[in-house]
Amino acid sequence: MNRVEAMSLFVRVAELQSFTAAALSLGLPKSSASQAISQLEAHLKVQLLYRTTRKVQLTHDGHAYYERCREVLAELDELDSMFEQKSELTGALRVDMPVSLARNFLVPRLPEFLDRHPGLEIELSCTDRRVDVVAEGFDCVIRVGALSDSALMTRSLGLMHMGNYASPAYLERHGEPKTLDDLKDHHLIHYALTLGARPFGFEYRDGDEYRVVDMPGRITVNNTEAFSAAALAGLGILQSPRTGNRHHVAEGRLVEILRQYEAEPLPVAMVYPRRRHQARRVRAFMDWVEEIMRDYVD
């Protein structure tokens, strides 16, 4: 096994946290995979992996080597395709995005992208938590909300404007609020990534500033799917992007209320690792995402 093959195997072991799974995915005997990684560690004179009976994990040095391996392999992939005249792309893409964004926007349109590039495979992670883009090996992550990691490259996609919603059943029981004063008699569905953290109240624009009205809530969720589900179940007032609720309003499952009080729009962006050369498949995917998201953001 040459150095590049050993690096590819190491990356696969690190991502699957298993010699057996990595060897199976590459069509190798498990013993050959384990021996190759041991030879790689001996060559580098450093331990890359902690081995237990249940799984393997990266050491501190292993994390650093894993990140560089992915960069080197991506550059080799780009070099291999440098003189290709055809547009066909091959390989795997690992991407992450919020659950609601994947369900409502990306996954329904994904067949057209894969039909355009039949040689590509996609590993799609859907979670509302902030993944570690580099350590978890993501090629591209779509994020909604403020960005904080300046070590990543960013491509802005636009803004998602917010609306206020409640189910017909909730409004029938509690009445429809018309002013901010009316909110004292209502419940807000709270969203918090970390349960136990103090949730925000009802946010609204006041001139050039955004203010918050403290509101009680009977439920706090940490997932956008549960967020919408709670509103549909009549558990309170929902503040969320209009693009994700259009179909609920059209079908009569939610009613938009308090239109004069809009929360601050949410920025949407793609973030990705800083690399000197980015694989063509990653660039193609990001260009396509930017294309389809034009219908959903401002």
Side-chain angles (χ1 to χ4, degrees):
M1 186 175 290
N2 62 37
R3 185 77 56 79
V4 173
E5 290 171 336
M7 290 168 62
S8 298
L9 172 62
F10 166 70
V11 167
R12 201 66 181 150
V13 171
E15 291 176 345
L16 296 177
Q17 298 185 330
S18 165
F19 282 104
T20 302
L24 185 63
S25 70
L26 297 173
L28 298 171
K30 179 187 174 184
S31 57
S32 298
S34 180
Q35 183 180 13
I37 298 302
S38 295
Q39 290 172 347
L40 182 62
E41 290 177 318
H43 171 76
L44 296 171
K45 298 181 175 58
V46 68
Q47 184 179 359
L48 299 172
L49 298 165
Y50 294 119
R51 298 155 172 84
T52 69
T53 54
R54 294 196 297 176
K55 66 178 180 179
V56 295
Q57 290 181 302
L58 289 168
T59 64
H60 178 75
D61 291 324
H63 270 292
Y65 189 65
Y66 169 77
E67 292 172 18
R68 288 295 293 126
C69 278
R70 281 186 59 86
E71 291 182 7
V72 169
L73 293 171
E75 290 182 12
L76 287 174
D77 180 71
E78 181 74 8
L79 187 62
D80 285 344
S81 62
M82 218 170 119
F83 302 106
E84 288 182 0
Q85 298 302 312
K86 58 184 182 179
S87 60
E88 187 168 333
L89 302 175
T90 60
L93 279 162
R94 176 176 292 184
V95 299
D96 175 84
M97 66 192 63
V99 179
S100 60
L101 202 60
R103 180 175 64 83
N104 293 326
F105 308 132
L106 188 124
V107 172
R109 300 283 300 271
L110 201 52
E112 69 185 61
F113 178 75
L114 293 177
D115 287 344
R116 191 184 303 175
H117 304 290
L120 289 182
E121 297 177 3
I122 298 212
E123 296 178 355
L124 177 59
S125 164
C126 298
T127 175
D128 287 343
R129 73 177 178 89
R130 289 297 176 99
V131 299
D132 188 319
V133 178
V134 175
E136 296 181 58
F138 286 102
D139 295 301
C140 171
V141 170
I142 302 175
R143 284 186 174 163
V144 178
L147 301 175
S148 57
D149 194 340
S150 60
L152 299 172
M153 299 295 289
T154 303
R155 187 192 293 197
S156 175
L157 295 175
L159 296 172
M160 282 188 170
H161 285 278
M162 304 289 283
N164 308 308
Y165 303 93
S167 71
Y170 175 86
L171 296 176
E172 186 177 340
R173 286 196 306 272
H174 300 277
E176 181 177 342
K178 301 293 186 181
T179 68
L180 295 175
D181 287 340
D182 293 341
L183 292 177
K184 65 180 182 298
D185 299 319
H186 288 268
H187 297 288
L188 185 69
I189 299 169
H190 292 296
Y191 180 90
L193 274 176
T194 303
L195 294 180
R198 187 175 184 274
F200 292 106
F202 182 92
E203 185 180 302
Y204 68 99
R205 183 169 187 163
D206 182 12
D208 294 331
E209 297 182 356
Y210 287 92
R211 302 184 184 278
V212 174
V213 175
D214 287 331
M215 279 186 68
R218 304 177 69 185
I219 182 170
T220 300
V221 301
N222 65 352
N223 176 281
T224 51
E225 292 292 281
F227 198 38
S228 295
L232 294 169
L235 292 172
I237 294 172
L238 173 76
Q239 287 195 293
S240 72
R242 284 198 171 96
T243 51
N245 291 294
R246 288 174 183 163
H247 62 296
H248 292 316
V249 173
E251 295 166 3
R253 303 173 69 194
L254 289 178
V255 176
E256 186 167 6
I257 60 175
L258 296 168
R259 291 182 66 95
Q260 69 274 36
Y261 300 109
E262 186 176 313
E264 186 172 6
L266 294 175
V268 186
M270 288 182 285
V271 296
Y272 51 98
R274 293 179 181 271
R275 289 179 181 142
R276 283 174 292 177
H277 302 289
Q278 195 169 55
R280 288 172 58 235
R281 60 177 177 267
V282 179
R283 293 201 307 269
F285 177 78
M286 292 199 298
D287 290 344
W288 174 75
V289 168
E290 187 170 18
E291 175 188 323
I292 68 167
M293 285 298 291
R294 287 178 188 144
D295 294 335
Y296 304 109
V297 296
D298 297 316

